[in-house]
Amino acid sequence: MPERPSARAALALVTDDFTELRYPAGRSRADGPLTWQGYDASRARAAERTGEEESVVCGTAHVEGTPAVLIAFEFGFLGGSLGERTGDRLEAAYTHARAHRLPVVALIATGGSRMQEGMVALTQLQRVARQSALTREAGLPQLAVVRDPTTGGGWATLGAGADVILALPGAQVGFAGSRVRPADADPAAYTAEAQVAAGAADAVVAPQELRPVLGRWLQLLTAPSSAPAPPPRPLGATGLPASGWEAVLRARAPRRPRARSYLDAYFTERVAISGDRCGGTDEGMLCGFGVHEGRTVAYAAQTGTATRPAGYRTAARLIRLADRLGIPVLTLVDTPGAANDAEAERQGAGAAIADVFGAVASARTPVTTLVIGEGGSGGALALAAPGSTWATPDSYFSVIAPELAAAILKRPPEEVESTAGQLRVRPQDLADLGVARTSEQLFPGAGDRHP
């Protein structure tokens, strides 16, 4: 097996100006808190082999121009394990970050808590969790780069608890380390790629791309703004629909512009978060942060499919993160409705939708919504900002799809079109009802007519 990069090599990968922090004086107890015979000798050998005095190196640096506190684990020092003195250093790093209003970046490579310190080592995870919580309350972003390996309590605190999680290709990542997991466990499940696929991490990033990617994330997440995100310019049909059924047909047209087209036109650059941190992803919900007219704006965008529970949970995660960092949010509504199959129910569809309703309702940062296609019932309304929702000329919003409304009312199929009119689903109807504004009011005559 090739030698794993050291903590300082990991730091050099992302910055050129690292300045190490002054650490608290370490406790001097022979062989540690358990008087574990030979522990001092093991630490001395680890120090001689790595040139480090502990399993973490902490300091400040600029990553592509953005100042941050960096924490790098030295796996060569007792497997990057967390002990009492590790906790001292981590606490000092987080405290420094809050005092100087700096984001925290953890470059993790650890096997977990240090056996030679027993429960004293394990309780360092509580210290780390508290420091992370205090930093979160202070409105400062926390990013993790999971290296090989990232297991045990280090993954369950510094790693999985970060706002954005990037992973190096092929890294072993999971709560259970290789020596403690079941003998028949699939090793592929404990990889960076598997964690991204399961929604537990955001992206796999190649080492040579790590510095610019990390720098872009830091730049975006450290640029708060109190002004609302302006609604995007409509890209599709010009002129408002004459009837409710015409509005429905426009919204369902295969060639109508979708979320990716709107995001490409709105942002000069953007980065995506992925996954609900509960084991799921949904390609029908695009979430992330981008630059619009020089400002950072967060986005959660439906892509025209039935939204899965994982999609709602990812959107809620995005909105809460943006709210904590003081970044305005743009939501794009486009779904025939929430996924309603049995698997969606087993995955907690109702709770996931409620989570988004709650995130939007409690957000202190401004949320702007543009309905760009189908607005299907509560599965669409969850993303809509009360008092700040706009609708394009090729969109509609309805309490229920016209076909379903007709079925519930026991009307024949030929009355579906008239039912659409009665539901008042057109953009101008929504404006009359006071639930949305038409984008025509903001951008008269915008867009190109499509078939």
Side-chain angles (χ1 to χ4, degrees), residues 217 220 229 232 259-260 262-264 266-267 269-274 285-291 296-302 314-319 322 327-332 367-368 383:
W217 269 111
L220 288 168
R260 284 184 175 83
Y262 275 92
L263 296 176
D264 287 343
Y266 192 79
F267 292 111
E269 64 172 312
R270 68 180 193 272
V271 291
I273 67 168
S274 177
M285 181 75 78
L286 306 178
C287 295
F289 295 82
V291 177
T296 300
V297 173
Y299 64 86
Q302 293 169 316
T314 304
R317 173 189 156 214
L318 179 282
I319 294 166
I327 295 171
V329 177
L330 170 70
T331 63
L332 300 180
V367 181
T368 301
L383 263 72

CSV table of all heavy atoms in Angstrom, one decimal, residues 217 220 229 232 259-260 262-264 266-267 269-274 285-291 296-302 314-319 322 327-332 367-368 383:
chain,number,residue,atom,x,y,z
A,217,TRP,N,-15.7,27.1,-2.8
A,217,TRP,CA,-16.7,26.9,-1.8
A,217,TRP,C,-16.5,28.0,-0.7
A,217,TRP,O,-17.5,28.6,-0.2
A,217,TRP,CB,-16.5,25.5,-1.2
A,217,TRP,CG,-17.4,24.5,-1.8
A,217,TRP,CD1,-17.0,23.4,-2.6
A,217,TRP,CD2,-18.8,24.4,-1.8
A,217,TRP,NE1,-18.0,22.7,-3.0
A,217,TRP,CE2,-19.2,23.2,-2.5
A,217,TRP,CE3,-19.8,25.1,-1.2
A,217,TRP,CZ2,-20.5,22.9,-2.7
A,217,TRP,CZ3,-21.1,24.8,-1.3
A,217,TRP,CH2,-21.5,23.6,-2.1
A,220,LEU,N,-17.7,31.4,-1.8
A,220,LEU,CA,-19.2,31.5,-1.8
A,220,LEU,C,-19.8,31.5,-0.4
A,220,LEU,O,-20.8,32.3,-0.2
A,220,LEU,CB,-19.7,30.3,-2.6
A,220,LEU,CG,-19.5,30.4,-4.1
A,220,LEU,CD1,-19.8,29.0,-4.8
A,220,LEU,CD2,-20.3,31.5,-4.8
A,229,ALA,N,-32.7,37.7,-3.5
A,229,ALA,CA,-32.3,37.3,-4.9
A,229,ALA,C,-33.4,37.7,-5.9
A,229,ALA,O,-34.5,37.4,-5.6
A,229,ALA,CB,-32.1,35.8,-5.0
A,232,PRO,N,-35.3,35.2,-11.7
A,232,PRO,CA,-34.7,35.0,-13.0
A,232,PRO,C,-35.7,35.5,-14.1
A,232,PRO,O,-36.9,35.5,-13.9
A,232,PRO,CB,-34.5,33.5,-13.1
A,232,PRO,CG,-34.5,33.0,-11.7
A,232,PRO,CD,-35.4,33.9,-11.0
A,259,ALA,N,-35.0,23.6,-15.2
A,259,ALA,CA,-34.2,24.2,-14.1
A,259,ALA,C,-32.8,24.4,-14.5
A,259,ALA,O,-32.2,25.5,-14.3
A,259,ALA,CB,-34.2,23.3,-12.9
A,260,ARG,N,-32.1,23.5,-15.2
A,260,ARG,CA,-30.7,23.7,-15.5
A,260,ARG,C,-30.5,24.9,-16.5
A,260,ARG,O,-29.5,25.6,-16.3
A,260,ARG,CB,-30.2,22.4,-16.2
A,260,ARG,CG,-29.9,21.3,-15.1
A,260,ARG,CD,-29.2,20.1,-15.8
A,260,ARG,NE,-28.9,19.1,-14.7
A,260,ARG,CZ,-29.7,18.2,-14.2
A,260,ARG,NH1,-31.0,18.2,-14.6
A,260,ARG,NH2,-29.3,17.4,-13.3
A,262,TYR,N,-32.4,27.6,-16.5
A,262,TYR,CA,-32.5,28.8,-15.7
A,262,TYR,C,-31.3,29.0,-14.8
A,262,TYR,O,-30.8,30.1,-14.7
A,262,TYR,CB,-33.7,28.6,-14.8
A,262,TYR,CG,-35.0,29.1,-15.5
A,262,TYR,CD1,-35.8,28.1,-16.2
A,262,TYR,CD2,-35.4,30.4,-15.5
A,262,TYR,CE1,-37.0,28.5,-16.8
A,262,TYR,CE2,-36.6,30.8,-16.1
A,262,TYR,CZ,-37.3,29.9,-16.8
A,262,TYR,OH,-38.5,30.3,-17.4
A,263,LEU,N,-30.7,27.9,-14.3
A,263,LEU,CA,-29.5,28.1,-13.4
A,263,LEU,C,-28.3,28.5,-14.3
A,263,LEU,O,-27.5,29.4,-13.8
A,263,LEU,CB,-29.2,26.8,-12.7
A,263,LEU,CG,-30.3,26.3,-11.7
A,263,LEU,CD1,-29.9,25.0,-11.1
A,263,LEU,CD2,-30.5,27.3,-10.6
A,264,ASP,N,-28.2,28.0,-15.5
A,264,ASP,CA,-27.1,28.4,-16.3
A,264,ASP,C,-27.2,29.9,-16.7
A,264,ASP,O,-26.2,30.6,-16.8
A,264,ASP,CB,-27.1,27.5,-17.6
A,264,ASP,CG,-26.6,26.1,-17.3
A,264,ASP,OD1,-26.0,25.8,-16.3
A,264,ASP,OD2,-26.9,25.2,-18.2
A,266,TYR,N,-28.7,32.2,-15.0
A,266,TYR,CA,-28.8,33.1,-13.8
A,266,TYR,C,-27.4,33.3,-13.2
A,266,TYR,O,-27.1,34.3,-12.7
A,266,TYR,CB,-29.8,32.5,-12.8
A,266,TYR,CG,-30.2,33.4,-11.7
A,266,TYR,CD1,-31.1,34.5,-11.9
A,266,TYR,CD2,-29.7,33.2,-10.4
A,266,TYR,CE1,-31.5,35.3,-10.8
A,266,TYR,CE2,-30.0,34.0,-9.3
A,266,TYR,CZ,-30.9,35.1,-9.5
A,266,TYR,OH,-31.3,35.8,-8.5
A,267,PHE,N,-26.7,32.2,-13.1
A,267,PHE,CA,-25.4,32.2,-12.4
A,267,PHE,C,-24.2,32.2,-13.3
A,267,PHE,O,-24.2,31.5,-14.3
A,267,PHE,CB,-25.3,30.9,-11.5
A,267,PHE,CG,-26.3,30.9,-10.3
A,267,PHE,CD1,-27.3,30.0,-10.3
A,267,PHE,CD2,-26.2,31.8,-9.3
A,267,PHE,CE1,-28.2,29.9,-9.3
A,267,PHE,CE2,-27.1,31.7,-8.2
A,267,PHE,CZ,-28.1,30.8,-8.2
A,269,GLU,N,-21.3,31.2,-12.1
A,269,GLU,CA,-20.6,30.0,-11.6
A,269,GLU,C,-21.5,29.5,-10.5
A,269,GLU,O,-22.2,30.2,-9.8
A,269,GLU,CB,-19.2,30.2,-11.2
A,269,GLU,CG,-19.0,31.1,-10.0
A,269,GLU,CD,-17.6,31.1,-9.4
A,269,GLU,OE1,-17.0,30.0,-9.3
A,269,GLU,OE2,-17.1,32.2,-9.2
A,270,ARG,N,-21.4,28.1,-10.3
A,270,ARG,CA,-22.1,27.6,-9.1
A,270,ARG,C,-21.5,26.2,-8.7
A,270,ARG,O,-20.8,25.6,-9.5
A,270,ARG,CB,-23.6,27.4,-9.5
A,270,ARG,CG,-24.0,26.4,-10.5
A,270,ARG,CD,-25.5,26.3,-10.8
A,270,ARG,NE,-25.9,25.2,-11.6
A,270,ARG,CZ,-26.0,25.1,-12.9
A,270,ARG,NH1,-25.6,26.2,-13.6
A,270,ARG,NH2,-26.4,24.0,-13.5
A,271,VAL,N,-21.8,25.8,-7.5
A,271,VAL,CA,-21.3,24.6,-7.0
A,271,VAL,C,-22.5,23.9,-6.3
A,271,VAL,O,-23.4,24.6,-5.8
A,271,VAL,CB,-20.2,24.7,-5.9
A,271,VAL,CG1,-18.9,25.2,-6.6
A,271,VAL,CG2,-20.5,25.7,-4.8
A,272,ALA,N,-22.5,22.6,-6.3
A,272,ALA,CA,-23.7,21.8,-5.9
A,272,ALA,C,-23.4,21.1,-4.6
A,272,ALA,O,-22.3,20.6,-4.3
A,272,ALA,CB,-24.1,20.8,-6.9
A,273,ILE,N,-24.5,21.1,-3.7
A,273,ILE,CA,-24.5,20.1,-2.6
A,273,ILE,C,-25.3,18.9,-3.1
A,273,ILE,O,-26.1,19.0,-4.0
A,273,ILE,CB,-25.0,20.7,-1.3
A,273,ILE,CG1,-26.5,21.0,-1.5
A,273,ILE,CG2,-24.3,22.0,-0.9
A,273,ILE,CD1,-27.2,21.3,-0.1
A,274,SER,N,-25.1,17.8,-2.4
A,274,SER,CA,-25.8,16.6,-2.9
A,274,SER,C,-26.1,15.7,-1.6
A,274,SER,O,-25.3,15.5,-0.8
A,274,SER,CB,-24.9,15.8,-3.8
A,274,SER,OG,-25.5,14.5,-4.2
A,285,MET,N,-34.0,17.3,-7.7
A,285,MET,CA,-33.8,18.5,-6.9
A,285,MET,C,-32.4,18.9,-7.0
A,285,MET,O,-31.5,18.2,-6.5
A,285,MET,CB,-34.2,18.2,-5.4
A,285,MET,CG,-34.1,19.5,-4.6
A,285,MET,SD,-35.4,20.7,-4.8
A,285,MET,CE,-36.8,19.9,-3.9
A,286,LEU,N,-32.1,20.1,-7.6
A,286,LEU,CA,-30.8,20.6,-7.7
A,286,LEU,C,-30.6,21.7,-6.6
A,286,LEU,O,-31.3,22.6,-6.5
A,286,LEU,CB,-30.6,21.2,-9.1
A,286,LEU,CG,-30.9,20.3,-10.3
A,286,LEU,CD1,-30.7,21.1,-11.6
A,286,LEU,CD2,-30.0,19.1,-10.3
A,287,CYS,N,-29.5,21.5,-5.8
A,287,CYS,CA,-29.3,22.4,-4.7
A,287,CYS,C,-27.8,22.9,-4.7
A,287,CYS,O,-26.9,22.1,-5.1
A,287,CYS,CB,-29.6,21.8,-3.4
A,287,CYS,SG,-31.3,21.4,-3.1
A,288,GLY,N,-27.6,24.1,-4.3
A,288,GLY,CA,-26.2,24.6,-4.2
A,288,GLY,C,-26.1,26.1,-4.0
A,288,GLY,O,-27.1,26.7,-3.6
A,289,PHE,N,-24.9,26.6,-4.4
A,289,PHE,CA,-24.7,28.0,-4.2
A,289,PHE,C,-24.0,28.5,-5.5
A,289,PHE,O,-23.2,27.8,-6.1
A,289,PHE,CB,-23.7,28.3,-3.1
A,289,PHE,CG,-24.3,28.0,-1.7
A,289,PHE,CD1,-24.2,26.6,-1.2
A,289,PHE,CD2,-24.9,28.9,-0.9
A,289,PHE,CE1,-24.8,26.3,0.0
A,289,PHE,CE2,-25.4,28.6,0.3
A,289,PHE,CZ,-25.3,27.3,0.8
A,290,GLY,N,-24.3,29.8,-5.9
A,290,GLY,CA,-23.8,30.3,-7.1
A,290,GLY,C,-23.6,31.8,-7.0
A,290,GLY,O,-23.9,32.4,-6.0
A,291,VAL,N,-23.0,32.4,-8.0
A,291,VAL,CA,-22.8,33.8,-8.1
A,291,VAL,C,-23.7,34.4,-9.1
A,291,VAL,O,-23.7,34.1,-10.3
A,291,VAL,CB,-21.3,34.1,-8.5
A,291,VAL,CG1,-21.1,35.6,-8.6
A,291,VAL,CG2,-20.3,33.5,-7.5
A,296,THR,N,-23.4,36.0,-3.8
A,296,THR,CA,-23.7,34.6,-3.6
A,296,THR,C,-25.2,34.4,-3.3
A,296,THR,O,-25.8,35.1,-2.5
A,296,THR,CB,-22.9,34.0,-2.3
A,296,THR,OG1,-21.5,34.2,-2.6
A,296,THR,CG2,-23.3,32.6,-2.1
A,297,VAL,N,-25.8,33.5,-4.0
A,297,VAL,CA,-27.2,33.1,-3.9
A,297,VAL,C,-27.3,31.6,-3.8
A,297,VAL,O,-26.6,30.9,-4.6
A,297,VAL,CB,-28.0,33.6,-5.1
A,297,VAL,CG1,-29.5,33.1,-5.0
A,297,VAL,CG2,-28.0,35.2,-5.2
A,298,ALA,N,-28.0,31.1,-2.8
A,298,ALA,CA,-28.3,29.7,-2.7
A,298,ALA,C,-29.5,29.3,-3.6
A,298,ALA,O,-30.4,30.1,-3.8
A,298,ALA,CB,-28.5,29.3,-1.3
A,299,TYR,N,-29.5,28.1,-4.1
A,299,TYR,CA,-30.6,27.7,-4.9
A,299,TYR,C,-31.1,26.3,-4.6
A,299,TYR,O,-30.3,25.4,-4.2
A,299,TYR,CB,-30.3,27.8,-6.4
A,299,TYR,CG,-29.2,26.8,-6.8
A,299,TYR,CD1,-29.5,25.5,-7.2
A,299,TYR,CD2,-27.8,27.2,-6.9
A,299,TYR,CE1,-28.5,24.7,-7.6
A,299,TYR,CE2,-26.8,26.4,-7.3
A,299,TYR,CZ,-27.1,25.1,-7.6
A,299,TYR,OH,-26.1,24.2,-8.0
A,300,ALA,N,-32.4,26.1,-4.7
A,300,ALA,CA,-33.0,24.8,-4.6
A,300,ALA,C,-34.0,24.7,-5.8
A,300,ALA,O,-35.0,25.5,-5.8
A,300,ALA,CB,-33.7,24.5,-3.3
A,301,ALA,N,-33.8,23.8,-6.7
A,301,ALA,CA,-34.6,23.8,-8.0
A,301,ALA,C,-35.1,22.5,-8.3
A,301,ALA,O,-34.3,21.5,-8.5
A,301,ALA,CB,-33.7,24.4,-9.1
A,302,GLN,N,-36.4,22.4,-8.5
A,302,GLN,CA,-37.0,21.2,-9.0
A,302,GLN,C,-36.9,21.1,-10.5
A,302,GLN,O,-36.8,22.1,-11.2
A,302,GLN,CB,-38.5,21.1,-8.6
A,302,GLN,CG,-38.7,21.0,-7.1
A,302,GLN,CD,-40.2,21.2,-6.7
A,302,GLN,OE1,-40.8,22.2,-7.2
A,302,GLN,NE2,-40.7,20.4,-5.8
A,314,THR,N,-32.9,17.4,1.1
A,314,THR,CA,-31.7,18.1,0.7
A,314,THR,C,-32.0,19.6,0.5
A,314,THR,O,-31.2,20.5,0.9
A,314,THR,CB,-31.2,17.6,-0.7
A,314,THR,OG1,-31.0,16.2,-0.6
A,314,THR,CG2,-29.9,18.3,-1.2
A,315,ALA,N,-33.2,19.9,0.0
A,315,ALA,CA,-33.6,21.3,-0.1
A,315,ALA,C,-33.7,22.0,1.3
A,315,ALA,O,-33.2,23.2,1.5
A,315,ALA,CB,-34.9,21.5,-0.8
A,316,ALA,N,-34.2,21.3,2.3
A,316,ALA,CA,-34.3,21.8,3.6
A,316,ALA,C,-32.9,22.1,4.2
A,316,ALA,O,-32.7,23.1,4.9
A,316,ALA,CB,-35.1,20.9,4.5
A,317,ARG,N,-32.0,21.2,4.0
A,317,ARG,CA,-30.6,21.3,4.4
A,317,ARG,C,-30.0,22.6,3.8
A,317,ARG,O,-29.3,23.3,4.5
A,317,ARG,CB,-29.9,20.0,4.0
A,317,ARG,CG,-28.4,20.1,4.3
A,317,ARG,CD,-27.7,18.9,3.6
A,317,ARG,NE,-26.3,19.2,3.3
A,317,ARG,CZ,-25.6,18.8,2.3
A,317,ARG,NH1,-26.2,17.9,1.5
A,317,ARG,NH2,-24.4,19.1,2.2
A,318,LEU,N,-30.2,22.7,2.5
A,318,LEU,CA,-29.7,23.9,1.8
A,318,LEU,C,-30.2,25.2,2.3
A,318,LEU,O,-29.5,26.2,2.6
A,318,LEU,CB,-30.0,23.8,0.3
A,318,LEU,CG,-29.6,24.8,-0.8
A,318,LEU,CD1,-30.5,26.0,-0.8
A,318,LEU,CD2,-28.2,25.2,-0.6
A,319,ILE,N,-31.5,25.3,2.5
A,319,ILE,CA,-32.2,26.5,3.0
A,319,ILE,C,-31.7,26.9,4.4
A,319,ILE,O,-31.4,28.0,4.7
A,319,ILE,CB,-33.7,26.4,3.0
A,319,ILE,CG1,-34.2,26.3,1.5
A,319,ILE,CG2,-34.4,27.6,3.6
A,319,ILE,CD1,-35.6,25.8,1.3
A,322,ALA,N,-28.0,28.2,4.2
A,322,ALA,CA,-28.0,29.5,3.7
A,322,ALA,C,-28.5,30.5,4.7
A,322,ALA,O,-28.0,31.6,4.9
A,322,ALA,CB,-28.9,29.6,2.4
A,327,ILE,N,-27.2,34.0,3.6
A,327,ILE,CA,-27.1,34.1,2.1
A,327,ILE,C,-28.6,33.9,1.6
A,327,ILE,O,-29.3,33.1,2.0
A,327,ILE,CB,-26.3,32.9,1.6
A,327,ILE,CG1,-24.8,33.1,2.0
A,327,ILE,CG2,-26.4,32.8,0.1
A,327,ILE,CD1,-23.9,31.9,1.7
A,328,PRO,N,-29.0,34.8,0.7
A,328,PRO,CA,-30.3,34.8,0.1
A,328,PRO,C,-30.6,33.5,-0.7
A,328,PRO,O,-29.6,32.9,-1.2
A,328,PRO,CB,-30.4,36.0,-0.8
A,328,PRO,CG,-29.0,36.4,-1.1
A,328,PRO,CD,-28.2,35.9,0.1
A,329,VAL,N,-31.8,33.1,-0.8
A,329,VAL,CA,-32.2,31.8,-1.4
A,329,VAL,C,-33.1,32.0,-2.6
A,329,VAL,O,-34.0,32.8,-2.5
A,329,VAL,CB,-32.8,30.8,-0.4
A,329,VAL,CG1,-33.3,29.5,-1.1
A,329,VAL,CG2,-31.9,30.6,0.8
A,330,LEU,N,-32.8,31.3,-3.7
A,330,LEU,CA,-33.7,31.3,-4.8
A,330,LEU,C,-34.3,29.8,-5.0
A,330,LEU,O,-33.5,28.9,-5.0
A,330,LEU,CB,-33.0,31.6,-6.1
A,330,LEU,CG,-33.7,31.4,-7.4
A,330,LEU,CD1,-34.9,32.4,-7.6
A,330,LEU,CD2,-32.8,31.5,-8.6
A,331,THR,N,-35.6,29.7,-5.0
A,331,THR,CA,-36.2,28.4,-5.3
A,331,THR,C,-36.9,28.4,-6.7
A,331,THR,O,-37.5,29.4,-7.0
A,331,THR,CB,-37.1,27.9,-4.2
A,331,THR,OG1,-38.3,28.8,-4.2
A,331,THR,CG2,-36.4,27.9,-2.9
A,332,LEU,N,-36.7,27.3,-7.4
A,332,LEU,CA,-37.4,27.2,-8.7
A,332,LEU,C,-38.4,26.0,-8.5
A,332,LEU,O,-38.0,24.9,-8.2
A,332,LEU,CB,-36.4,26.9,-9.8
A,332,LEU,CG,-35.3,27.9,-10.1
A,332,LEU,CD1,-34.4,27.5,-11.2
A,332,LEU,CD2,-36.0,29.3,-10.4
A,367,VAL,N,-36.1,34.7,0.9
A,367,VAL,CA,-36.3,33.6,-0.1
A,367,VAL,C,-37.1,34.1,-1.2
A,367,VAL,O,-38.2,34.7,-1.0
A,367,VAL,CB,-37.0,32.4,0.6
A,367,VAL,CG1,-37.2,31.2,-0.4
A,367,VAL,CG2,-36.2,31.9,1.8
A,368,THR,N,-36.7,33.9,-2.5
A,368,THR,CA,-37.4,34.2,-3.7
A,368,THR,C,-37.8,33.0,-4.5
A,368,THR,O,-36.9,32.1,-4.6
A,368,THR,CB,-36.5,35.2,-4.5
A,368,THR,OG1,-36.2,36.3,-3.8
A,368,THR,CG2,-37.3,35.6,-5.8
A,383,LEU,N,-41.8,24.7,-1.5
A,383,LEU,CA,-40.6,25.5,-1.9
A,383,LEU,C,-41.0,26.9,-2.1
A,383,LEU,O,-40.1,27.7,-2.4
A,383,LEU,CB,-39.9,24.9,-3.1
A,383,LEU,CG,-38.7,24.0,-2.8
A,383,LEU,CD1,-39.1,22.7,-2.3
A,383,LEU,CD2,-37.9,23.8,-4.1
